[in-house]
Amino acid sequence: MLRKTLRSIARNRLIPISCLLILVGVAALSVAQNTPRPASPAKTYKRISDAEIKKHVDHEWLRTSLVNGLTDYWLKASIMPNGFIQENLDRQWKPWGEQREASLNGQGRQLYSMAIGYEMSNKDKAYLDGVTRAADFLLKMRDAQHGGFFNRTTPDLKVIDDNKTGFTSFAIYSLATVARVTKNPKYEAAAMQAFREVRDKMRDGPFLTATRNRDFSAPAARGGGGGAAKGGGGGKGGAPDGPQAAKGGGGFGGQSGHNLNVHMFEALLGLYDATKSKEVWDEITAELVAMEKLYDYENGFLPEGFDADWKPSGRGGAGGGAGRANTGHMFEWASLFSRAVELGADPKFVELGSRSIDLGLKNGYNEAVGGLGGVNAAGQPTQMLWWPQCEVLKATAHYAILRGRSDLWPVFDKTLAFVKANYFDTKEGGWFEYYVPGTPREALPVSRQVPGATNSLKGAVDGPEWGSYHQTSMYHDLWRITDPKYKPGPGN
């Protein structure tokens, strides 16, 4: 009956065919998921006063800490004359190793960081030059024959991996961000073109997250999108340490069923922010409808791994409950739900994000040190990666400032002090990749990527694509919402 109705709607051209595909996927989810969902709340949210914000967050410090302490170093060290971004950098910001690759993940993430550095540096012309060169290099990673972007190339643009992967999210997000901060329509057009290709050729039910082969005709091998580069590039869900809940999951990997890609949704929000395109907003709202159906209301989080029938699958791990639950992603989803409401989504998604924060803190926060993770299943100290700490800071401050969660300030304050003490490289600039409770910095191995090396790395192509993306995202969101000139968006 449903499919007959949809065909009738399509024949009469009441809605676009692409929207019908979303509706079919959402309808399938309604069969698979029958959990109760809250009604849209009447509650409105009000940003706290500047005086209250200043007790916890220094607006100007956010700018100088990002620009002077992080992106200035990346700008000078990583962007080559042709725009290729060299990620493999040692502690002194010099290239290390032999691997030289441009991945959509790395080139896109670092381009995003440079674009935000340009915005927060008061539009420094040196940043504009670097951003333009890096964005133009990314555009050359596009497949002129079949469309989409190659997943990996060499610095001279020879193709290493021709799959069209979920990491296209970082092409969309970075190009949209470049368009927003530079006002150059070329990059907006490229971001919209990439969005339409993913929407029409890389859909997985109601979501934009599928991985396809070069001509989009069939699914490509999954596993982080790394292709030929070291057996898969180490998708974030498969990281061996930190607050990961299930190996091979987290919205990037997995060999069967379905996965959510937190960064594709992030890209959609960034693209809408840059373009205000109705096409993009229609996709966002349809995906939110599907996410609401998939949300685990019993435990309070959004699963990311599903079987063929869209039922949560895999180990519950750190997230609790059924399904692949990545604790760090709980904070990312919370931030994205709240940002979607700022842009016009139903305020009920704030409540879903708020519950996700609560579960993430309950299952992953280390009160003894003040960060996420740090203890393995055997109760022994283990690596605390940089990115979950950034996501805790971003989500807790965001909800404290915009969503009335003043109870989260102690977590934010403690985590910020922990990060300042253990991740800032005050000698060489930038951040350290990880920390192990109780182990002096000088006694730690260089990196998860290069056991036995003697210097801490500032960047790495593989592993978790170690760079400056999560730090930049955290700094920028806090800088944006702590600005005295901040104006609430359509959904508050």
Side-chain angles (χ1 to χ4, degrees):
M1 181 65 183
L2 172 65
R3 293 183 182 275
K4 182 177 180 180
T5 302
L6 292 174
R7 286 195 295 268
S8 176
I9 293 172
R11 282 196 297 271
N12 290 282
R13 297 184 179 180
L14 297 180
I15 59 176
I17 294 295
S18 60
C19 291
L20 289 179
L21 296 174
I22 301 174
L23 290 174
V24 170
V26 173
L29 295 185
S30 68
V31 176
Q33 302 287 93
N34 295 304
T35 53
R37 290 170 288 280
S40 177
K43 181 177 180 179
T44 58
Y45 298 93
K46 183 179 180 180
R47 178 180 177 272
I48 65 173
S49 69
D50 290 333
E52 284 298 311
I53 291 172
K54 289 178 180 178
K55 293 178 181 178
H56 305 275
V57 189
D58 184 328
H59 179 71
E60 179 60 17
W61 175 84
L62 293 167
R63 188 189 71 79
T64 57
S65 187
L66 171 74
V67 175
N68 300 343
L70 185 64
T71 56
D72 274 359
Y73 290 94
W74 278 97
L75 176 67
K76 296 172 183 176
S78 70
I79 303 179
M80 301 296 102
N82 70 343
F84 163 67
I85 295 179
Q86 159 67 347
E87 278 190 284
N88 284 356
L89 298 170
D90 66 18
R91 187 179 179 187
Q92 287 75 37
W93 302 93
K94 302 297 183 183
W96 64 268
E98 298 179 356
Q99 186 179 13
R100 299 290 180 266
E101 296 179 12
S103 69
L104 282 183
N105 192 356
Q107 186 81 15
R109 286 187 181 208
Q110 291 308 117
L111 173 58
Y112 161 80
S113 297
M114 294 300 98
I116 295 300
Y118 172 62
E119 181 180 23
M120 291 178 64
S121 68
N122 298 319
K123 305 296 179 70
D124 187 310
K125 290 183 179 180
Y127 273 92
L128 180 60
D129 174 65
V131 165
T132 301
R133 284 187 283 119
D136 288 347
F137 183 95
L138 177 59
L139 293 181
K140 293 174 184 177
M141 292 176 69
R142 178 175 169 76
D143 183 344
Q145 181 179 355
H146 296 289
F149 286 82
F150 295 121
N151 191 45
R152 290 183 182 237
T153 74
T154 63
D156 57 358
L157 294 165
K158 293 179 181 178
V159 178
I160 297 172
D161 177 5
D162 63 8
N163 286 334
K164 308 301 166 58
T165 76
F167 291 135
T168 304
S169 62
F170 294 114
I172 296 171
Y173 192 34
S174 62
L175 290 169
T177 303
V178 172
R180 180 179 62 79
V181 301
T182 67
K183 310 302 181 186
N184 189 326
K186 174 175 73 171
Y187 302 118
E188 178 178 325
M192 285 297 298
Q193 181 182 42
F195 156 70
R196 289 169 181 142
E197 288 172 337
V198 173
R199 179 194 64 189
D200 298 338
K201 299 178 181 180
M202 295 172 64
R203 181 174 294 285
D204 183 11
F207 302 110
L208 309 187
T209 187
T211 295
R212 297 285 183 255
N213 63 3
R214 183 180 178 186
D215 65 4
F216 302 100
S217 63
R222 295 185 181 182
K230 298 190 185 301
K236 198 165 58 172
D241 292 294
Q244 314 293 340
K247 304 297 185 280
F252 286 86
Q255 296 301 316
S256 63
H258 308 278
N259 291 274
L260 296 190
N261 184 334
V262 64
H263 294 298
M264 188 64 78
F265 190 68
E266 175 186 52
L268 293 176
L269 296 180
L271 182 60
Y272 179 74
D273 189 29
T275 65
K276 300 301 185 287
S277 164
K278 184 179 183 299
E279 281 182 82
V280 179
W281 188 250
D282 287 346
E283 180 68 35
I284 290 169
T285 54
E287 293 199 12
L288 284 170
V289 169
M291 289 176 195
E292 186 184 358
K293 294 178 183 294
L294 292 171
Y295 192 85
D296 182 336
Y297 292 92
E298 180 180 354
N299 293 290
F301 77 106
L302 181 63
E304 294 181 308
F306 304 88
D307 65 17
D309 296 319
W310 285 99
K311 294 181 180 179
S313 62
R315 298 193 297 272
R324 296 171 180 162
N326 182 311
T327 311
H329 283 187
M330 291 179 185
F331 295 90
E332 289 193 69
W333 281 115
S335 296
L336 294 176
F337 282 157
S338 182
R339 180 59 178 147
V341 171
E342 282 187 275
L343 294 172
D346 194 310
K348 65 187 173 185
F349 289 99
V350 170
E351 304 305 320
L352 302 189
S354 189
R355 289 198 63 194
S356 184
I357 290 174
D358 290 340
L359 184 63
L361 292 175
K362 176 182 178 181
N363 287 323
Y365 195 72
N366 189 331
E367 288 284 353
V369 299
L372 203 64
V375 181
N376 63 20
Q380 300 299 316
T382 191
Q383 295 172 353
M384 302 174 72
L385 296 179
W386 82 102
W387 72 264
Q389 319 315 324
C390 293
E391 298 305 330
V392 169
L393 288 171
K394 181 168 68 173
T396 54
H398 190 106
Y399 276 70
I401 291 170
L402 299 183
R403 308 304 177 197
R405 291 289 307 270
S406 60
D407 61 302
L408 294 175
W409 280 128
V411 176
F412 173 83
D413 294 340
K414 192 170 187 176
T415 306
L416 182 59
F418 168 67
V419 165
K420 287 181 177 180
N422 296 290
Y423 291 86
F424 289 7
D425 186 344
T426 57
K427 180 179 179 181
E428 302 291 349
W431 284 43
F432 294 113
E433 180 191 16
Y434 71 97
Y435 167 77
V436 176
T439 303
R441 170 64 56 189
E442 59 273 14
L444 293 174
V446 56
S447 168
R448 299 188 312 126
Q449 287 83 15
V450 190
T454 57
N455 293 309
S456 295
L457 302 181
K458 287 305 187 302
V461 172
D462 278 319
E465 299 262 6
W466 163 228
S468 62
Y469 156 76
H470 282 277
Q471 304 95 302
T472 301
S473 177
M474 176 271 292
Y475 279 121
H476 181 253
D477 195 53
L478 270 60
W479 182 72
R480 180 180 64 82
I481 64 176
T482 58
D483 188 340
K485 298 178 181 178
Y486 173 86
K487 294 181 180 180
N492 293 323

